[in-house]
Amino acid sequence: MTHPTRPHRNFYGRLKGKHLKKSQEGYLAEDLDALSPGPVSWDDNPDRTPLNLGALFGGKDVWLEVGFGGGEHVIHQAASNPDVGIIGCEPYINGVAMLLGKVRRANVDNLRIHPDDVRDMFDVLPEVSISKAFLLYPDPWPKARHHRRRFVTPEHLEPLARVLKPGSEFRVATDIPDYVRQTLEEVPRHGFEWLAEGPEDWRRPWGDWLSTRYEQKALREGRTPHYLTFRKT
């Protein structure tokens, strides 16, 4: 049997930071496998068989958070919306460990975690299967020669558009003005409509927003958050 050809994908972000606490090592060893959304990696799923989201979440709407950082927002959304299923993707293992600790304390059962590259997740998500997506304070890659590494490029936006349902919402939060510029240029080119009607629509956070550690750092350092809302057409 011939398997799909595995693409070459460069990955530029951090995978691990400072030494994990003993408790965090325990979370990874004891809890992570049970929160898997299914076979996502190329090693586990070389045929790229789509995930069965209906079986995974019992037919609930499914949301996706790309790069959940320390997990503050994704756990807040999972706890606040028990009627949906949420998949969080984050390759930084320290952030994954932090989220696992929050999962234990929040006792949610509608969250699944992919501790790796979201591009592999896009491979195995069924078309038009996601009802809402979040991209919150992504790595800014501030140098011009690195802008192609940003999420808001065709390599990521094309598969995101494929898996989102028509009419679904895509939220982007960033404190980097040039990231705002690139987002507003690139996202509408991939089948999205920016929903802002006035300046307050991108200056004011969403009603269900929970400020993350990255946002708090931006505010301390004098940078202004921007909240961009798009609808998949």
Side-chain angles (χ1 to χ4, degrees):
M1 180 177 180
T2 302
H3 298 304
T5 301
R6 184 172 189 163
H8 175 71
R9 289 171 173 161
N10 289 321
F11 183 81
Y12 300 100
R14 289 191 303 169
L15 294 176
K16 192 165 191 271
K18 61 185 181 181
H19 185 68
L20 293 170
K21 298 177 183 177
K22 210 64 170 168
S23 60
Q24 293 176 329
E25 292 177 349
Y27 301 155
L28 291 168
E30 298 166 16
D31 298 354
L32 184 56
D33 285 349
L35 292 172
S36 170
V40 175
S41 74
W42 279 81
D43 290 336
D44 293 335
N45 187 353
D47 294 329
R48 313 316 282 149
T49 301
L51 298 176
N52 186 342
L53 298 183
L56 184 63
F57 291 117
K60 298 175 179 177
D61 279 350
V62 181
W63 298 356
L64 175 71
E65 183 161 333
V66 178
F68 54 71
E72 302 97 333
H73 177 267
V74 73
I75 196 71
H76 166 71
Q77 291 291 353
S80 302
N81 298 279
D83 56 333
V84 305
I86 304 181
I87 298 173
C89 299
E90 174 59 65
Y92 184 52
I93 200 65
N94 297 61
V96 173
M98 291 174 64
L99 174 58
L100 290 173
K102 295 179 174 69
V103 170
R104 282 196 178 191
R105 292 188 289 274
N107 194 30
V108 298
D109 62 3
N110 59 330
L111 176 63
R112 297 294 182 271
I113 300 171
H114 173 56
D116 213 325
D117 194 331
V118 71
R119 291 173 293 184
D120 291 341
M121 175 61 69
F122 285 144
D123 290 344
V124 297
L125 283 174
E127 292 190 14
V128 296
S129 61
I130 302 299
S131 300
K132 185 180 289 188
F134 306 91
L135 177 69
L136 309 176
Y137 293 94
D139 195 322
W141 294 111
K143 295 180 181 179
R145 68 177 183 272
H146 294 156
H147 287 184
R148 61 187 174 82
R149 301 180 182 179
R150 290 174 169 174
F151 183 89
V152 288
T153 54
E155 182 179 11
H156 301 93
L157 293 174
E158 288 174 3
L160 175 66
R162 180 186 67 80
V163 303
L164 281 173
K165 296 178 180 179
S168 59
E169 189 177 275
F170 176 39
R171 295 181 179 180
V172 181
T174 180
D175 58 302
I176 306 300
D178 187 69
Y179 208 105
V180 174
R181 174 200 60 77
Q182 188 172 350
T183 300
L184 293 178
E185 287 179 357
E186 294 293 338
V187 174
R189 293 175 180 169
H190 292 84
F192 293 87
E193 176 188 4
W194 186 31
L195 298 183
E197 296 180 353
E200 286 304 306
D201 290 334
W202 70 82
R203 293 173 180 164
R204 184 175 52 221
W206 302 281
D208 59 353
W209 174 242
L210 179 77
S211 187
T212 69
R213 66 184 53 221
Y214 296 104
E215 178 166 281
Q216 293 302 311
K217 182 175 187 288
L219 291 170
R220 287 195 303 271
E221 296 176 358
R223 295 189 298 276
T224 302
H226 297 74
Y227 309 94
L228 310 176
T229 308
F230 300 90
R231 180 170 57 217
K232 177 70 173 61
T233 57

